[in-house]
């Protein structure tokens, strides 16, 4: 499937089931508790992380450092509300910790930190570094004889960083079939449309030219994500790239594709009402 055959607004009509809504409520719980965060950047990630942690990855919440685990690196660290939601849901830490996000003394900061948050594989937030870290982890697994897989989630605006493409060259050269790059292609970055700031198209062709096996999928369609991930061969000779077409702010209509919602702090009552009206009661 090519970019031309995928609508620019794919995912907009994709319905959200109760699990997806529950995970969004957990992310909102962290946002409202701390009073700040990148909520729309998290909302576009929920289904990607959900399928990884529910259906694909091998891990032990009670033993987050288990050597044989698969790794997920959220390179677009500002979307960490989604990561915190799935990690709490899967038992890496209690859900009661979520409302402490961004408060003094909390383990949950505005970007994820390895060593503080159980289940976080890399401290990210300075964009463009996650892929290089993931390549190092994939190479380390190979050298240790482990069959662990590594998943690196990149934002589309983040791909403007040259270090991403240096990493892509290295991953292909080392034939890292255990490595999968997941692009949250919501087509918005901090202050506007990606196409207006630094157009990425033809995005699939770029990754193909760098030696990746490339797939495209509706990033909010859980069944489609499951099928796509199941079709990736970690023992093959090429690293993988899955371009996930998403909607920034998915599930909160007022925030969807709205650059003014990119980051919120000192939330006003009307803004809180927008979130709760869209998602229902926050646990």
């Amino acid at each position: 499937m090519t970019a031309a055959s995928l609508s620019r607004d794919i995912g907009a009509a994709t319905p959200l089931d109760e699990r997806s809504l529950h995970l969004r409520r957990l992310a909102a719980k962290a946002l409202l508790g701390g009073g700040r965060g990148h909520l729309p950047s998290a909302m576009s990630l929920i289904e990607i992380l959900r399928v990884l942690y529910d259906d694909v990855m091998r891990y032990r919440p009670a033993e987050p450092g288990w050597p044989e685990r698969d790794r997920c690196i959220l390179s677009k660290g500002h979307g960490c509300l989604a990561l915190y939601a799935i990690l709490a849901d899967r038992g890496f830490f209690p859900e009661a910790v979520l409302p402490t996000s961004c408060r003094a003394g909390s383990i949950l900061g505005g970007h994820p930190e390895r060593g503080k948050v159980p289940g976080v594989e890399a401290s990210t937030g300075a964009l463009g570094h996650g892929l290089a870290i993931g390549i190092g982890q994939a190479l380390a697994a190979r050298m240790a004889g482990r069959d662990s897989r590594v998943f690196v989630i990149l934002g589309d605006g983040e791909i403007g960083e040259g270090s991403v493409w240096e990493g892509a060259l290295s991953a292909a050269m080392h034939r890292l079939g255990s490595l999968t790059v997941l692009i949250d292609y919501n087509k918005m970055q901090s202050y506007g449309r990606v196409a207006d700031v630094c157009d990425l198209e033809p995005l699939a062709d770029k990754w193909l030219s760098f030696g990746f096996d490339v797939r495209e999928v509706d990033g909010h369609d859980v069944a489609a994500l499951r099928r796509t991930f199941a079709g990736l061969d970690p023992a093959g000779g090429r690293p993988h790239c899955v371009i996930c077409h998403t909607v920034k702010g998915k599930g909160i209509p007022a925030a969807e594709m709205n650059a003014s919602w990119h980051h919120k702090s000192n939330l006003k009552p009307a803004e809180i009402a927008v979130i709760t009206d869209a998602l229902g009661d926050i646990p």
Side-chain angles (χ1 to χ4, degrees), residues 19 46 279:
R19 176 146 179 76
I46 294 289
L279 300 179

Side-chain angles (χ1 to χ4, degrees), residues 105-116:
S106 176
I107 64 170
L108 306 180
H111 294 274
E113 294 185 60
R114 177 177 169 81
K116 280 192 174 182

Side-chain angles (χ1 to χ4, degrees), residues 45 48-49 52-53 57 69-80 83 87 112 114 119-139 149-155 158 178-184:
L45 285 171
I48 299 169
L49 287 166
L52 283 179
Y53 280 86
M57 289 175 51
R69 72 191 184 281
D70 295 328
R71 276 78 168 168
C72 176
I73 295 172
L74 181 62
S75 190
K76 52 165 285 184
H78 55 289
C80 60
L83 181 60
L87 290 177
R114 177 177 169 81
V120 168
E121 296 291 350
S123 299
T124 56
L127 296 178
H129 299 296
L131 181 54
I133 296 170
I135 290 167
Q137 291 184 350
L139 285 170
R149 301 175 70 179
V150 180
F151 299 88
V152 179
I153 302 176
L154 301 175
E158 178 181 14
S178 63
L179 175 73
T180 298
V181 171
L182 304 167
I183 300 174
D184 180 14

Side-chain angles (χ1 to χ4, degrees), residues 56-60 66-71 134 137-151 176-180 232-236 240:
V56 178
M57 289 175 51
R58 182 177 66 196
Y59 57 89
R60 294 177 179 174
W66 179 45
E68 301 300 320
R69 72 191 184 281
D70 295 328
R71 276 78 168 168
Q137 291 184 350
L139 285 170
R142 175 186 287 175
M143 293 169 68
R146 299 193 309 266
D147 64 350
S148 301
R149 301 175 70 179
V150 180
F151 299 88
L176 294 177
S178 63
L179 175 73
T180 298
L232 304 177
D233 180 11
H240 307 281

Side-chain angles (χ1 to χ4, degrees), residues 6-30:
L6 285 165
S7 169
R8 282 281 180 174
D9 61 355
I10 192 170
T14 305
L16 300 176
D17 64 14
E18 183 54 36
R19 176 146 179 76
S20 284
L21 288 171
H22 172 69
L23 291 171
R24 281 173 170 77
R25 293 181 191 119
L26 292 182
K29 183 176 184 177

Side-chain angles (χ1 to χ4, degrees), residues 10-244:
I10 192 170
T14 305
L16 300 176
D17 64 14
E18 183 54 36
R19 176 146 179 76
S20 284
L21 288 171
H22 172 69
L23 291 171
R24 281 173 170 77
R25 293 181 191 119
L26 292 182
K29 183 176 184 177
L31 174 82
L32 298 178
R36 59 179 296 181
H38 294 83
L39 188 65
S41 300
M43 295 297 99
S44 59
L45 285 171
I46 294 289
E47 282 67 49
I48 299 169
L49 287 166
R50 168 188 169 177
V51 174
L52 283 179
Y53 280 86
D54 284 4
D55 303 296
V56 178
M57 289 175 51
R58 182 177 66 196
Y59 57 89
R60 294 177 179 174
E63 190 183 350
W66 179 45
E68 301 300 320
R69 72 191 184 281
D70 295 328
R71 276 78 168 168
C72 176
I73 295 172
L74 181 62
S75 190
K76 52 165 285 184
H78 55 289
C80 60
L81 291 173
L83 181 60
Y84 295 160
I86 194 70
L87 290 177
D89 175 82
R90 301 304 293 177
F92 283 88
F93 57 84
E95 290 184 9
V97 175
L98 289 173
T100 72
S101 174
C102 289
R103 294 184 188 176
S106 176
I107 64 170
L108 306 180
H111 294 274
E113 294 185 60
R114 177 177 169 81
K116 280 192 174 182
V117 185
V120 168
E121 296 291 350
S123 299
T124 56
L127 296 178
H129 299 296
L131 181 54
I133 296 170
I135 290 167
Q137 291 184 350
L139 285 170
R142 175 186 287 175
M143 293 169 68
R146 299 193 309 266
D147 64 350
S148 301
R149 301 175 70 179
V150 180
F151 299 88
V152 179
I153 302 176
L154 301 175
D156 46 12
E158 178 181 14
I159 298 173
E161 296 280 355
S163 54
V164 170
W165 300 105
E166 292 179 42
L169 283 172
S170 177
M173 183 188 74
H174 290 291
R175 302 182 65 79
L176 294 177
S178 63
L179 175 73
T180 298
V181 171
L182 304 167
I183 300 174
D184 180 14
Y185 198 11
N186 61 39
K187 305 170 187 70
M188 291 285 293
Q189 53 191 105
S190 61
Y191 58 90
R193 296 172 64 245
V194 170
D196 297 330
V197 178
C198 186
D199 195 6
L200 296 173
E201 292 297 341
L203 184 56
D205 290 343
K206 287 182 172 67
W207 288 91
L208 282 167
S209 73
F210 274 70
F212 279 66
D213 164 48
V214 180
R215 319 289 175 96
E216 299 194 53
V217 66
D218 178 342
H220 299 298
D221 186 330
V222 171
L225 285 165
R226 287 171 177 154
R227 289 193 300 270
T228 300
F229 293 157
L232 304 177
D233 180 11
R238 289 196 294 168
H240 307 281
C241 173
V242 180
I243 299 172
C244 302

